[in-house]
Amino acid sequence: MLNIVLFGPPGAGKGTQSQKLIDKYNLVHLSTGDILRSEIASGTKLGMQAKELMDNGLLVPDDLVIGMIRNKLEAHASASGFIFDGFPRTVAQAEALDQLLFTQKTQISAMVALEVDDKELENRLLLRGQTSGRVDDANTEIIRKRIEEYNTKTAPVASFYQAQGKFKKINGIGSIDGIFSCICDVADNI
Ligand code: ADP
């Protein structure tokens, strides 16, 4: 199985690259942000718990997102692999993911980290906000909050995978196809 964690700050291009990866490698895309937004749109209890936190740029509690991922892994038991996009976002989530995959007799193949500086991220997110309809893309203060959450809670996840020898760093500035081919080099050499 090819199980890739696509890692990087908000606006790094994880969603764009995920789409290309699932097409090329026939993987199941698990984006916790997308799953949470669809829970909100359906008005579920989970969505209601998550909405205010998301709108304010804060992370949703670990147990909620871990439960969501557990359900999705079970629902796609025969998949040939997964792209984890926006998950794990804390070390506790990374540990839980290792456990979940272990019980399914598989593991993370690589963690691909897209690197983009904060100023470029802010510009990309504000631009996306003009069309995405996402409350959390609409103002600079919330965007900065998301980047701060990333730096304090999510960035340590890189060391978690580095300790396992699975951390691969990629420059997230450049053409979409150029970045994609760097990711494919990683995926093809696992
Ligand atoms: P982006 O990467 O552009 O910030 P996402 O769609 O991945 O966008 O996430 C949007 C919001 O959803 C996050 O700011 C957070 O509130 C919530 N979220 C998504 N994934 C997680 C996660 N794994 N753990 C906690 N909160 C999450």
Side-chain angles (χ1 to χ4, degrees):
M1 268 179 108
L2 183 62
N3 295 315
I4 295 181
V5 171
L6 202 50
F7 190 77
K14 301 185 295 289
T16 307
Q17 297 296 337
S18 291
Q19 203 51 50
K20 295 174 76 72
L21 284 163
I22 58 173
D23 291 345
K24 176 161 178 182
Y25 296 98
N26 190 29
L27 305 172
V28 173
H29 183 204
L30 294 185
S31 156
T32 40
D34 286 352
I35 302 167
L36 287 165
R37 279 184 289 276
S38 98
E39 295 281 338
I40 292 173
S42 317
T44 64
K45 185 172 162 231
L46 177 66
M48 284 173 344
Q49 285 172 286
K51 185 175 186 328
E52 199 178 329
L53 292 164
M54 291 175 72
D55 285 353
N56 287 297
L58 301 170
L59 292 187
V60 171
D62 287 336
D63 54 337
L64 294 188
V65 282
I66 292 166
M68 276 168 25
I69 289 287
R70 182 186 300 117
N71 291 340
K72 295 284 178 188
L73 288 175
E74 284 169 7
H76 294 94
S78 57
S80 54
F82 294 93
I83 295 279
F84 297 95
D85 164 4
F87 179 90
R89 250 179 164 92
T90 62
V91 172
Q93 292 179 19
E95 285 166 349
L97 180 60
D98 269 5
Q99 278 300 317
L100 288 171
L101 293 176
F102 181 75
T103 60
Q104 303 205 356
K105 300 191 172 53
T106 183
Q107 59 174 324
I108 291 299
S109 317
M111 187 254 224
V112 175
L114 295 174
E115 296 207 321
V116 177
D117 62 81
D118 288 1
K119 193 70 215 145
E120 169 76 11
L121 295 174
E122 244 181 77
N123 292 340
R124 286 187 189 180
L125 291 169
L126 282 171
L127 192 69
R128 184 169 83 183
Q130 294 171 8
T131 53
S132 70
R134 279 176 55 172
V135 178
D136 60 346
D137 284 344
N139 87 55
T140 313
E141 204 181 312
I142 292 173
I143 288 173
R144 291 202 177 137
K145 187 79 218 162
R146 287 159 64 198
I147 296 174
E148 186 189 320
E149 283 279 85
Y150 174 82
N151 287 330
T152 55
K153 298 181 183 160
T154 307
V157 175
S159 312
F160 178 88
Y161 288 104
Q162 209 153 21
Q164 298 185 4
K166 293 177 178 172
F167 175 78
K168 312 280 174 193
K169 197 162 62 171
I170 284 179
N171 181 2
I173 297 187
S175 74
I176 289 175
D177 286 340
I179 296 165
F180 181 59
S181 101
C182 294
I183 301 176
C184 293
D185 279 349
V186 171
D188 293 338
N189 288 294
I190 285 168

